[in-house]
Amino acid sequence: MSIADIPEDWIGLDIGPKSVDLFKTQIAGAKTVFWNGPMGVFEKPSFAEGTKAMARAIADATDRGAKT
């Protein structure tokens, strides 16, 4: 779902697949990553996927030698 597809009376509570891909690309090339919180309302499983994806990307970057 794109932000343009969110009905006017709804709110976005997680990042979507396009944002995940964009952020993962940036994290993959980073030498230092500072993460300042979750990507969505991760306490609710249906809104936790963006946060989980970023955690995995940051863990992968750490494995490659990035400072995190």
Side-chain angles (χ1 to χ4, degrees):
M1 174 181 282
S2 165
I3 194 168
D5 298 327
I6 298 174
E8 194 171 312
D9 59 338
W10 287 20
I11 58 174
L13 297 175
D14 197 6
I15 60 173
K18 289 180 183 178
S19 294
V20 167
D21 290 343
L22 176 68
F23 296 158
K24 282 172 57 175
T25 298
Q26 294 301 309
I27 291 167
K31 294 181 181 180
T32 302
V33 180
F34 179 83
W35 186 11
N36 192 32
M39 309 313 290
V41 183
F42 70 97
E43 298 90 346
K44 296 188 180 281
S46 57
F47 302 115
E49 291 307 310
T51 298
K52 289 179 184 178
M54 293 303 94
R56 286 188 292 269
I58 292 168
D60 291 344
T62 303
D63 290 344
R64 289 190 302 276
K67 301 287 184 190
T68 58

